[in-house]
Amino acid sequence: MVRMARLTRFDHDGLTFDVDDAGPEDGAPVVLLHGFPQRATMWAGVAPLLHEAGLRTLAPDQRGYSSGARPRGRAAYGLGRVVGDVAALVERLGAGPVHLMGHDWGAAAAWSTAASRPELLRSLVAVSVPHPAAMARALRTRDQLRRSWYMGFFQLPWLPELALSRPALAGRFLGASGMDREMVARYGREIVGDGALRGALGWYRAMPLTARGATGGSGLARRVRVPTTYVWSDGDVALGRLGAELSAEHVVADYRFEVLPGLSHWIPDEAPERLARIALERFLE
């Protein structure tokens, strides 16, 4: 494979995104998409294991998180816009189709990219969050609505920023989801301290627009036609089994569903070796 220059940033939609580009420069590229409320540093335990297998990783700080990519207004954070960011990164890399892995909101973006821009991808690994259409169906149930109470709270103006900027309140909320003390401290530095909280919440506030199709191109209801592995943990307090199991109906390609027992929502932080092993089974085929 041709050796490629390192990519530290790229531009799209009038925004500038920071990228952590690591691993063998001539390795097959894997794009890693973080979720809420984390940044590209969340892949610190997973990426080196992919490098050891000869893969190159590109982990952007996404829309709302990169200091040069924090637009105002919820319409700027719809999944269609985010898919455009991912496509711009892949096209800027210029290495052909890539492997794609995402966690949490990064998984939603990865599912949507695979559904709407399959020509950009060699394979998909989605972690924790199910296919958007499966999630929408699960949200019609009492169990998933109960788990997703915070999504409604995040629609409110300024109050979520106020609450999640307070260390004690944020620590209780994030700790209840399974984050340990070190992860909560990183959230304080990288999200609150760096001014990324409002942009991070923008992804949630754009949900009603995405559901109505107002942000366009998200691939919300489309089926995925690239080889896919979906990884879910049964200790996830935010995401129940129904959405996880329904995701299979939205993939018309080789599909694997991996359940990690006893783990919380934060699979990449909690079990990087297990996640990397599952991902490599897909990426090295």
Side-chain angles (χ1 to χ4, degrees), residues 263-283:
L263 297 183
S264 77
H265 176 74
W266 311 103
I267 294 172
D269 295 274
E270 199 169 340
E273 296 86 359
R274 292 166 70 182
L275 178 58
R277 184 176 67 251
I278 292 169
L280 288 171
E281 288 174 359
R282 175 62 71 190
F283 297 154

Side-chain angles (χ1 to χ4, degrees), residues 31-34 43 100-104 106-108 110 124-128:
V31 173
L32 303 173
L33 302 179
H34 69 81
W43 298 108
L100 182 62
M101 178 157 65
H103 174 254
D104 189 80
L124 166 67
V125 175
V127 187
S128 297

Side-chain angles (χ1 to χ4, degrees), residues 15 34-39 62-67 69-78 82 85 105 154 160-161 190-192 194-206:
L15 309 173
H34 69 81
F36 175 91
Q38 297 181 300
R39 297 175 79 154
Q62 295 207 78
R63 179 176 290 249
Y65 295 85
S66 284
S67 59
R70 296 175 184 170
R72 299 185 67 85
R74 62 176 181 164
Y77 293 93
V82 177
D85 299 338
W105 268 112
F154 288 171
E161 284 92 334
E190 296 185 352
I191 305 301
V192 179
D194 195 51
L197 182 55
R198 177 175 292 179
L201 289 167
W203 292 55
Y204 288 96
R205 289 168 174 158

Side-chain angles (χ1 to χ4, degrees), residues 148-186:
S148 299
W149 66 268
Y150 60 92
M151 293 183 181
F153 174 63
F154 288 171
Q155 300 301 314
L156 299 175
W158 66 264
L159 188 57
E161 284 92 334
L162 179 63
L164 292 176
S165 295
R166 295 185 174 181
L169 287 175
R172 283 200 292 272
F173 171 68
L174 297 173
S177 72
M179 273 196 177
D180 61 23
R181 229 177 247 187
E182 181 181 346
M183 294 169 68
V184 172
R186 188 178 355 131

